[in-house]
Amino acid sequence: MLTSGWKTVSMIDIHGKVTFTLWLCGCNLKCPFCHNWHIAEGKDCFPLDRNALLEELESNAFLIDYLHVTGGEPLVQWQELSSLLAEVKLLDVPVSLNTNLTLIDPLKKLLNAGLVEHIATDLKAPPVELYGLPETTSQGLWKLFLDGLKTVSDYTIPLELRIPVARGFNQWPWIEEGLKMLKTDFYIILNPLVGKPLTNPRDETWCSEHCWPRREEMGRLKKKLEELGVEVYVNNFSGDGL
Ligand code: SF4
């Protein structure tokens, strides 16, 4: 299994939780704002030393709420991941999976085996813009994503739904469509897309147009979500107290 490494204690990967975070390589999307694109493209990756990981996880288990597996898209390597998580289960450490929710069969295999206790995902809207792939492919992937939200609900897995907020798009119709699929415990994190110098996005030209959403765009989405009674948090990099 290819990894770019792990962090034994992280306070920033899941809202209000402490995680041991593992990054896995590869991804089936090409999001233009992606700041982990080198991991997604398999750069700076190396074979996972499973024993070393499990030893460190066991030593830190008393400090953490979850092993958080992220990437890249972890389900690209689902077979190896499944066998790793079977060993993690023996350590009694709950697992949180950060996935783009478009690889449904692998997701169901892990959920059927009881290997995942929490999911985090991004609702990327409009998908044709944010997936970075041709239009028909993106539309098909969006349908898979909706199916992924339904699957998470069917298995009653708690969900951290992250919305990357982009500048200059009306993202609401897709957000509404996604919310209709959810019948499980969830809350929303609004993440304004940011570029340099805070991150190193895959496509700087795209980011110069669509990163750094306006304060009003963030505020409008937050208000609409709150009007629906959704629990919503804002990751605010500008410090303006939204
Ligand atoms: S943002 Fe996530 S889903 Fe998109 S390319 Fe990067 S790793 Fe893949």
Side-chain angles (χ1 to χ4, degrees), residues 104-117:
I104 305 301
D105 287 343
L107 174 70
K108 284 184 178 166
K109 288 198 167 77
L110 265 53
L111 294 177
N112 278 334
L115 297 175
V116 175
E117 280 79 20

Side-chain angles (χ1 to χ4, degrees), residues 1-193:
M1 179 159 32
L2 285 177
T3 180
S4 67
W6 63 76
K7 186 169 182 191
T8 49
V9 178
S10 168
M11 315 272 276
I12 59 167
D13 288 314
I14 304 179
H15 179 79
K17 301 289 182 193
V18 182
T19 65
F20 182 118
T21 299
L22 169 68
W23 284 267
L24 296 183
C25 295
C27 187
N28 57 328
L29 304 185
K30 286 258 185 299
C31 310
F33 61 87
C34 181
H35 57 264
N36 279 342
W37 56 269
H38 54 289
I39 301 174
E41 293 180 8
K43 299 188 169 109
D44 306 327
C45 294
F46 51 87
L48 177 72
D49 182 338
R50 184 185 285 225
N51 290 337
L53 173 86
L54 290 169
E55 266 174 38
E56 280 205 49
L57 180 61
E58 188 169 19
S59 316
N60 287 281
F62 73 102
L63 289 170
I64 59 166
D65 297 300
Y66 292 107
L67 164 66
H68 185 55
V69 186
T70 184
E73 169 51 57
L75 291 176
V76 167
Q77 303 186 78
W78 72 269
Q79 282 167 312
E80 299 94 327
L81 178 60
S82 173
S83 108
L84 173 69
L85 295 186
E87 290 195 65
V88 170
K89 202 171 176 64
L90 299 176
L91 301 178
D92 214 16
V93 174
V95 170
S96 166
L97 178 68
N98 181 15
T99 168
N100 62 38
L101 278 188
T102 62
L103 300 173
I104 305 301
D105 287 343
L107 174 70
K108 284 184 178 166
K109 288 198 167 77
L110 265 53
L111 294 177
N112 278 334
L115 297 175
V116 175
E117 280 79 20
H118 176 269
I119 298 249
T121 193
D122 279 0
L123 187 156
K124 299 177 173 74
V128 168
E129 284 287 341
L130 270 71
Y131 285 161
L133 292 168
E135 188 169 342
T136 45
T137 310
S138 298
Q139 285 164 346
L141 286 162
W142 174 253
K143 289 202 168 67
L144 288 169
F145 174 76
L146 293 176
D147 193 17
L149 290 178
K150 183 177 176 305
T151 301
V152 172
S153 294
D154 290 345
Y155 285 79
T156 60
I157 305 286
L159 176 73
E160 177 171 297
L161 183 64
R162 303 161 178 172
I163 301 180
V165 182
R167 179 156 46 101
F169 296 125
N170 176 14
Q171 299 181 283
W172 188 247
W174 287 274
I175 295 172
E176 264 192 315
E177 198 178 7
L179 291 180
K180 283 188 194 139
M181 308 308 291
L182 284 174
K183 307 273 181 293
T184 193
D185 279 351
F186 75 99
Y187 55 87
I188 287 182
I189 310 278
L190 292 179
N191 279 326
L193 288 179

Side-chain angles (χ1 to χ4, degrees), residues 173-230:
W174 287 274
I175 295 172
E176 264 192 315
E177 198 178 7
L179 291 180
K180 283 188 194 139
M181 308 308 291
L182 284 174
K183 307 273 181 293
T184 193
D185 279 351
F186 75 99
Y187 55 87
I188 287 182
I189 310 278
L190 292 179
N191 279 326
L193 288 179
V194 295
K196 289 195 164 169
L198 282 189
T199 67
N200 176 25
R202 170 183 269 132
D203 184 339
E204 283 183 48
T205 308
W206 187 94
C207 199
S208 67
E209 273 182 60
H210 298 296
C211 291
W212 305 107
R214 294 177 195 90
R215 191 175 191 279
E216 310 83 75
E217 291 173 303
M218 294 289 294
R220 254 197 314 271
L221 282 185
K222 181 168 183 269
K223 187 160 174 280
K224 282 184 162 187
L225 289 165
E226 284 172 344
E227 282 169 1
L228 293 180
V230 172

